[in-house]
Amino acid sequence: MTVREALREAEGRLTRADVPGAALDAALLLEGLLGLPRLGLFARQGEALDAETLSAYRKWVSRRALREPLQYILGEAAFMGRVFVCRPGVLIPRSDSEAMCARAAGVAARGARVLDLCCGTGCLGLGLKLERPDARVTLSDISPAACALARENARRLDAEAEVVQGDFFAPVAGRVFDLILSNPPYIPADALPGLQPEVGFEPPQALDGGADGLSFYRRLAAEAAAFLSPGGVLLAETGDGQAEDAAQLFGSPFSPPAVRPDLSGNPRFLEIRRAD
Ligand code: GLN
Protein backbone atom coordinates (compact mmCIF):
# COMPACT_ATOMS: atom_id res chain seq x y z
CA MET A 1 0.00 0.00 0.00
CA THR A 2 1.30 3.47 -0.84
CA VAL A 3 1.52 6.39 1.56
CA ARG A 4 -1.37 8.05 -0.30
CA GLU A 5 -3.59 4.97 0.03
CA ALA A 6 -2.74 4.48 3.69
CA LEU A 7 -3.55 8.12 4.45
CA ARG A 8 -6.87 7.86 2.62
CA GLU A 9 -7.80 4.68 4.49
CA ALA A 10 -6.89 6.30 7.83
CA GLU A 11 -8.76 9.50 7.04
CA GLY A 12 -11.89 7.46 6.25
CA ARG A 13 -11.59 5.55 9.47
CA LEU A 14 -11.08 8.67 11.59
CA THR A 15 -13.91 10.52 9.80
CA ARG A 16 -16.31 7.67 10.56
CA ALA A 17 -15.22 7.89 14.22
CA ASP A 18 -16.08 11.63 14.21
CA VAL A 19 -12.48 12.61 14.94
CA PRO A 20 -12.17 16.37 14.35
CA GLY A 21 -9.50 17.17 11.75
CA ALA A 22 -9.36 13.56 10.51
CA ALA A 23 -7.08 14.25 7.53
CA LEU A 24 -4.60 16.20 9.61
CA ASP A 25 -4.47 13.55 12.33
CA ALA A 26 -4.01 10.80 9.73
CA ALA A 27 -0.97 12.68 8.42
CA LEU A 28 0.41 13.57 11.87
CA LEU A 29 0.23 9.93 12.98
CA LEU A 30 2.09 8.64 9.93
CA GLU A 31 4.69 11.41 10.10
CA GLY A 32 5.18 10.64 13.79
CA LEU A 33 5.52 6.93 13.15
CA LEU A 34 8.07 7.49 10.39
CA GLY A 35 9.93 10.16 12.36
CA LEU A 36 9.30 12.73 9.64
CA PRO A 37 8.88 16.46 10.19
CA ARG A 38 5.52 18.15 9.58
CA LEU A 39 4.54 17.88 5.87
CA GLY A 40 7.32 15.34 5.50
CA LEU A 41 4.94 13.04 3.62
CA PHE A 42 4.26 15.62 0.97
CA ALA A 43 6.89 14.34 -1.47
CA ARG A 44 6.41 10.65 -0.58
CA GLN A 45 2.79 10.05 -1.55
CA GLY A 46 3.66 7.35 -4.09
CA GLU A 47 6.11 5.42 -1.90
CA ALA A 48 5.13 1.97 -0.65
CA LEU A 49 4.78 1.31 3.09
CA ASP A 50 6.25 -1.99 4.28
CA ALA A 51 3.92 -4.44 6.05
CA GLU A 52 5.35 -3.73 9.48
CA THR A 53 4.92 0.03 9.19
CA LEU A 54 1.41 -0.34 7.80
CA SER A 55 0.38 -2.60 10.66
CA ALA A 56 1.85 -0.21 13.26
CA TYR A 57 0.11 2.70 11.54
CA ARG A 58 -3.26 0.92 11.56
CA LYS A 59 -2.87 0.25 15.28
CA TRP A 60 -2.25 3.95 15.95
CA VAL A 61 -5.20 4.91 13.74
CA SER A 62 -7.43 2.46 15.66
CA ARG A 63 -6.41 4.09 18.93
CA ARG A 64 -7.19 7.53 17.54
CA ALA A 65 -10.54 6.24 16.22
CA LEU A 66 -11.34 5.34 19.85
CA ARG A 67 -10.68 9.03 20.55
CA GLU A 68 -7.41 8.56 22.42
CA PRO A 69 -5.63 11.94 22.25
CA LEU A 70 -3.15 12.28 19.41
CA GLN A 71 -0.50 13.47 21.86
CA TYR A 72 -0.69 10.27 23.94
CA ILE A 73 -0.32 8.14 20.81
CA LEU A 74 2.60 10.18 19.50
CA GLY A 75 4.06 10.56 23.00
CA GLU A 76 4.62 14.27 22.59
CA ALA A 77 2.97 17.68 22.40
CA ALA A 78 4.20 21.03 21.11
CA PHE A 79 4.19 23.92 23.58
CA MET A 80 5.94 27.29 23.25
CA GLY A 81 7.71 26.00 20.15
CA ARG A 82 9.23 23.06 22.06
CA VAL A 83 8.38 19.38 22.17
CA PHE A 84 7.26 18.01 25.54
CA VAL A 85 7.03 14.29 26.21
CA CYS A 86 3.42 13.30 26.97
CA ARG A 87 2.12 10.18 28.58
CA PRO A 88 -1.24 8.90 29.87
CA GLY A 89 -1.64 9.86 33.52
CA VAL A 90 -0.45 13.44 32.99
CA LEU A 91 -2.43 16.34 31.46
CA ILE A 92 -1.51 17.22 27.86
CA PRO A 93 -0.12 20.76 27.39
CA ARG A 94 -2.56 23.02 25.55
CA SER A 95 -2.01 26.06 23.40
CA ASP A 96 -4.56 27.80 25.69
CA SER A 97 -1.75 28.06 28.26
CA GLU A 98 0.90 29.57 25.99
CA ALA A 99 -0.12 33.22 26.45
CA MET A 100 0.26 32.85 30.22
CA CYS A 101 3.71 31.31 29.82
CA ALA A 102 4.76 34.14 27.52
CA ARG A 103 3.43 36.68 30.01
CA ALA A 104 5.40 34.98 32.78
CA ALA A 105 8.59 35.36 30.77
CA GLY A 106 7.74 39.06 30.41
CA VAL A 107 6.98 39.81 34.07
CA ALA A 108 9.67 37.71 35.80
CA ALA A 109 12.34 39.93 37.35
CA ARG A 110 16.01 39.03 36.73
CA GLY A 111 16.91 35.88 38.67
CA ALA A 112 13.29 35.46 39.83
CA ARG A 113 12.38 32.51 41.99
CA VAL A 114 9.53 30.84 40.12
CA LEU A 115 7.11 28.13 41.20
CA ASP A 116 5.01 26.15 38.70
CA LEU A 117 2.29 24.77 41.00
CA CYS A 118 0.41 21.71 39.64
CA CYS A 119 3.07 21.40 36.93
CA GLY A 120 1.92 18.28 35.04
CA THR A 121 4.43 17.81 32.18
CA GLY A 122 6.25 20.92 33.41
CA CYS A 123 5.35 22.87 30.29
CA LEU A 124 4.71 26.23 32.01
CA GLY A 125 7.77 26.32 34.27
CA LEU A 126 10.12 24.73 31.74
CA GLY A 127 8.69 26.87 28.92
CA LEU A 128 9.51 29.91 31.06
CA LYS A 129 13.01 28.63 31.92
CA LEU A 130 13.81 28.15 28.24
CA GLU A 131 12.77 31.75 27.50
CA ARG A 132 14.40 33.13 30.65
CA PRO A 133 17.44 31.03 31.65
CA ASP A 134 18.14 33.43 34.56
CA ALA A 135 14.93 32.31 36.35
CA ARG A 136 15.27 29.79 39.18
CA VAL A 137 12.44 27.37 38.57
CA THR A 138 10.72 24.92 40.91
CA LEU A 139 8.05 22.54 39.60
CA SER A 140 5.56 20.92 41.93
CA ASP A 141 2.76 18.39 41.53
CA ILE A 142 0.81 15.98 43.74
CA SER A 143 1.14 13.26 41.10
CA PRO A 144 4.37 11.19 41.16
CA ALA A 145 3.79 10.39 37.47
CA ALA A 146 3.66 14.11 36.67
CA CYS A 147 6.84 14.77 38.67
CA ALA A 148 8.67 11.97 36.86
CA LEU A 149 7.55 13.32 33.49
CA ALA A 150 8.46 16.90 34.43
CA ARG A 151 11.97 15.67 35.36
CA GLU A 152 12.23 13.83 32.07
CA ASN A 153 11.15 16.92 30.12
CA ALA A 154 13.61 19.10 32.02
CA ARG A 155 16.42 16.69 31.13
CA ARG A 156 15.44 16.35 27.48
CA LEU A 157 14.99 20.09 27.00
CA ASP A 158 18.15 20.86 28.94
CA ALA A 159 16.19 23.21 31.23
CA GLU A 160 17.44 23.27 34.78
CA ALA A 161 14.61 22.99 37.32
CA GLU A 162 13.91 21.57 40.76
CA VAL A 163 10.97 19.13 40.87
CA VAL A 164 9.14 18.47 44.15
CA GLN A 165 6.17 16.22 44.84
CA GLY A 166 3.25 16.75 47.20
CA ASP A 167 -0.14 18.36 47.71
CA PHE A 168 -0.37 21.95 46.45
CA PHE A 169 2.02 24.17 48.50
CA ALA A 170 3.05 21.43 50.96
CA PRO A 171 6.36 20.56 49.19
CA VAL A 172 7.52 24.20 49.33
CA ALA A 173 6.49 24.94 52.93
CA GLY A 174 8.42 27.90 54.36
CA ARG A 175 9.72 29.13 50.98
CA VAL A 176 8.87 32.25 49.00
CA PHE A 177 8.76 32.89 45.26
CA ASP A 178 8.70 36.02 43.14
CA LEU A 179 6.39 34.44 40.59
CA ILE A 180 3.91 31.61 40.92
CA LEU A 181 2.41 30.04 37.79
CA SER A 182 -0.44 27.62 38.04
CA ASN A 183 -2.79 25.74 35.76
CA PRO A 184 -4.78 24.00 38.51
CA PRO A 185 -7.69 21.61 37.91
CA TYR A 186 -10.70 23.85 37.16
CA ILE A 187 -13.39 21.88 35.36
CA PRO A 188 -16.66 21.74 37.37
CA ALA A 189 -17.01 18.09 38.41
CA ASP A 190 -20.38 17.54 36.72
CA ALA A 191 -19.10 19.06 33.44
CA LEU A 192 -16.33 16.48 33.09
CA PRO A 193 -18.40 13.69 31.47
CA GLY A 194 -19.74 16.13 28.83
CA LEU A 195 -16.32 17.20 27.51
CA GLN A 196 -14.94 15.85 24.25
CA PRO A 197 -14.12 12.13 24.49
CA GLU A 198 -10.35 12.76 24.33
CA VAL A 199 -10.44 14.46 27.75
CA GLY A 200 -11.74 11.20 29.24
CA PHE A 201 -8.27 9.70 28.61
CA GLU A 202 -6.64 12.35 30.81
CA PRO A 203 -6.31 12.04 34.60
CA PRO A 204 -9.46 13.39 36.36
CA GLN A 205 -7.19 14.56 39.17
CA ALA A 206 -5.70 17.14 36.78
CA LEU A 207 -9.10 18.44 35.66
CA ASP A 208 -11.63 18.18 38.49
CA GLY A 209 -11.99 21.53 40.24
CA GLY A 210 -14.87 20.50 42.52
CA ALA A 211 -18.57 21.43 42.28
CA ASP A 212 -18.08 24.87 40.68
CA GLY A 213 -14.54 24.29 39.38
CA LEU A 214 -13.08 26.91 41.71
CA SER A 215 -11.92 24.81 44.65
CA PHE A 216 -8.22 25.31 43.81
CA TYR A 217 -8.84 29.04 43.37
CA ARG A 218 -10.17 29.20 46.92
CA ARG A 219 -6.99 27.49 48.06
CA LEU A 220 -4.84 29.88 46.03
CA ALA A 221 -6.67 32.92 47.43
CA ALA A 222 -6.16 31.63 50.98
CA GLU A 223 -2.62 30.25 50.72
CA ALA A 224 -0.66 31.89 47.90
CA ALA A 225 0.24 35.16 49.66
CA ALA A 226 2.36 33.29 52.21
CA PHE A 227 4.49 31.87 49.36
CA LEU A 228 4.90 35.15 47.44
CA SER A 229 7.52 37.78 48.08
CA PRO A 230 6.20 41.36 48.54
CA GLY A 231 5.32 42.60 45.05
CA GLY A 232 5.36 39.00 43.81
CA VAL A 233 2.98 37.89 41.05
CA LEU A 234 0.59 34.97 40.71
CA LEU A 235 -0.50 33.93 37.20
CA ALA A 236 -3.27 31.34 37.20
CA GLU A 237 -5.23 29.80 34.33
CA THR A 238 -9.04 29.77 34.43
CA GLY A 239 -11.69 27.87 32.48
CA ASP A 240 -14.33 29.27 30.14
CA GLY A 241 -16.54 31.77 31.91
CA GLN A 242 -14.68 31.46 35.23
CA ALA A 243 -12.22 34.36 35.24
CA GLU A 244 -14.49 36.97 36.87
CA ASP A 245 -15.73 34.60 39.59
CA ALA A 246 -12.17 33.43 40.29
CA ALA A 247 -10.96 37.05 40.43
CA GLN A 248 -13.59 37.88 43.10
CA LEU A 249 -11.93 35.42 45.47
CA PHE A 250 -8.73 37.48 45.80
CA GLY A 251 -8.81 40.24 48.42
CA SER A 252 -6.07 41.82 50.53
CA PRO A 253 -3.03 41.51 50.40
CA PHE A 254 -3.52 41.14 46.65
CA SER A 255 -4.22 44.01 44.30
CA PRO A 256 -7.33 43.49 42.12
CA PRO A 257 -6.65 40.70 39.60
CA ALA A 258 -6.28 41.52 35.92
CA VAL A 259 -8.01 39.08 33.53
CA ARG A 260 -5.83 38.35 30.50
CA PRO A 261 -6.67 36.54 27.24
CA ASP A 262 -5.20 33.46 25.61
CA LEU A 263 -3.95 33.48 22.02
CA SER A 264 -7.52 33.01 20.74
CA GLY A 265 -8.66 36.13 22.59
CA ASN A 266 -10.66 34.31 25.29
CA PRO A 267 -10.27 35.38 28.95
CA ARG A 268 -7.82 32.70 30.17
CA PHE A 269 -5.74 33.69 33.16
CA LEU A 270 -5.55 35.97 36.16
CA GLU A 271 -2.58 38.16 36.93
CA ILE A 272 -2.52 39.01 40.62
CA ARG A 273 0.11 40.99 42.48
CA ARG A 274 0.82 40.83 46.17
CA ALA A 275 0.36 44.54 46.83
CA ASP A 276 2.32 45.06 50.05
N1 GLN B 1 -7.86 23.32 29.68
C1 GLN B 1 -8.21 22.01 30.11
C2 GLN B 1 -9.45 21.54 29.36
O1 GLN B 1 -10.21 22.33 28.91
C3 GLN B 1 -8.45 21.95 31.60
C4 GLN B 1 -7.18 22.08 32.36
C5 GLN B 1 -7.44 22.30 33.81
O2 GLN B 1 -8.40 21.83 34.44
N2 GLN B 1 -6.56 23.02 34.36
O3 GLN B 1 -9.65 20.37 29.20
Side-chain angles (χ1 to χ4, degrees), residues 12-84:
R13 202 121 182 243
L14 297 180
T15 303
R16 286 192 295 282
D18 285 330
V19 172
L24 178 61
D25 278 17
L28 289 171
L29 285 169
L30 191 50
E31 283 162 4
L33 187 66
L34 296 173
L36 295 172
R38 187 68 200 100
L39 299 176
L41 293 170
F42 194 67
R44 300 178 180 228
Q45 298 287 316
E47 283 179 22
L49 288 176
D50 62 67
E52 205 180 319
T53 303
L54 184 60
S55 144
Y57 182 49
R58 284 176 171 154
K59 281 196 188 110
W60 277 16
V61 171
S62 304
R63 286 169 64 185
R64 188 69 191 98
L66 292 171
R67 305 300 296 268
E68 185 172 345
L70 182 75
Q71 296 88 341
Y72 283 159
I73 303 171
L74 293 172
E76 59 184 43
F79 187 82
M80 297 297 283
R82 317 273 178 170
V83 174
F84 285 79

Side-chain angles (χ1 to χ4, degrees), residues 129-143:
K129 177 72 184 174
L130 291 162
E131 298 291 315
R132 288 289 308 275
D134 58 294
R136 289 173 283 163
V137 175
T138 300
L139 309 169
S140 163
D141 204 288
I142 192 170
S143 153

Side-chain angles (χ1 to χ4, degrees), residues 12 15 22 51 53 92 110 126 129 141 218 227 244 273 276:
T15 303
T53 303
I92 297 164
R110 227 192 132 66
L126 297 175
K129 177 72 184 174
D141 204 288
R218 291 192 184 86
F227 297 91
E244 294 301 335
R273 195 170 287 271
D276 53 345

Side-chain angles (χ1 to χ4, degrees), residues 91 94 96 183-187 195 199 202 206-207 237:
L91 192 81
R94 284 142 162 86
D96 295 347
N183 177 14
Y186 56 61
I187 307 287
L195 297 177
V199 182
E202 295 188 283
L207 298 159
E237 182 169 320

